[in-house]
Amino acid sequence: MAQCYESEQLHMLEEAIKCYKRAANCNDTEAIALHRLAELHREPSHPEEAAFYYKKVLERMEAEEREVPNTVEALTFLATHYKTQERFEEAEVYCTRLLDYTGPEKETAKSLLRGIRIAQSGFPSI
């Protein structure tokens, strides 16, 4: 139902969010509803809500001791978000977790960590 509300034809995002919230509170074992909630809140005016739902996605993964789809996306968003908020310790936690992956996400994590170190040192970034 939420996907229908989300479609280009209807574009009823508030209704889609309500449906995804109901699904997340039910049997959302794959954290699909949580992930969609995070994506819908990624708008510039809602980054804290997006962070909240991405954290929930990761909590679900940890509780079930398995990796859920979009783990890398969640870790990248949270690392970037907390760096932007100058909450460097939290950003470092997510960057460190990203270092366990291969490919571009590992390089992203390294770059974010360099930026965090520069910001913490008080030197302007280049």
Side-chain angles (χ1 to χ4, degrees):
M1 192 70 172
Q3 289 176 334
C4 292
Y5 284 133
E6 241 186 299
S7 69
E8 283 185 38
Q9 293 85 359
L10 294 180
H11 200 67
M12 299 170 71
L13 298 183
E14 288 303 316
E15 288 75 10
I17 288 171
K18 289 176 189 174
C19 284
Y20 282 126
K21 283 181 179 179
R22 281 193 298 271
N25 290 326
C26 291
N27 194 19
D28 183 30
T29 57
E30 296 292 320
I32 294 168
L34 289 171
H35 180 257
R36 288 301 304 138
L37 283 165
E39 287 183 327
L40 288 171
H41 285 94
R42 284 182 77 149
E43 302 292 318
S45 60
H46 301 287
E48 287 301 322
E49 288 92 342
F52 172 81
Y53 288 112
Y54 277 126
K55 282 183 179 181
K56 290 284 188 192
V57 167
L58 296 176
E59 287 171 12
R60 177 78 45 92
M61 175 193 77
E62 292 162 1
E64 296 178 9
E65 297 180 355
R66 65 184 177 90
E67 189 157 324
V68 295
N70 309 306
T71 300
V72 170
E73 180 183 333
L75 291 170
T76 304
F77 176 85
L78 290 166
T80 304
H81 172 69
Y82 288 123
K83 179 183 177 276
T84 303
Q85 299 291 315
E86 296 184 2
R87 293 166 61 179
F88 299 126
E89 288 181 25
E90 290 170 275
E92 283 187 66
V93 168
Y94 295 111
C95 285
T96 303
R97 289 177 65 181
L98 271 175
L99 291 173
D100 292 338
Y101 294 88
T102 58
E105 49 275 355
K106 187 171 191 163
E107 294 308 312
T108 299
K110 288 178 182 179
S111 175
L112 285 167
L113 284 168
R114 279 190 297 274
I116 290 168
R117 300 277 179 330
I118 290 168
Q120 287 177 322
S121 71
F123 292 109
S125 59
I126 300 172

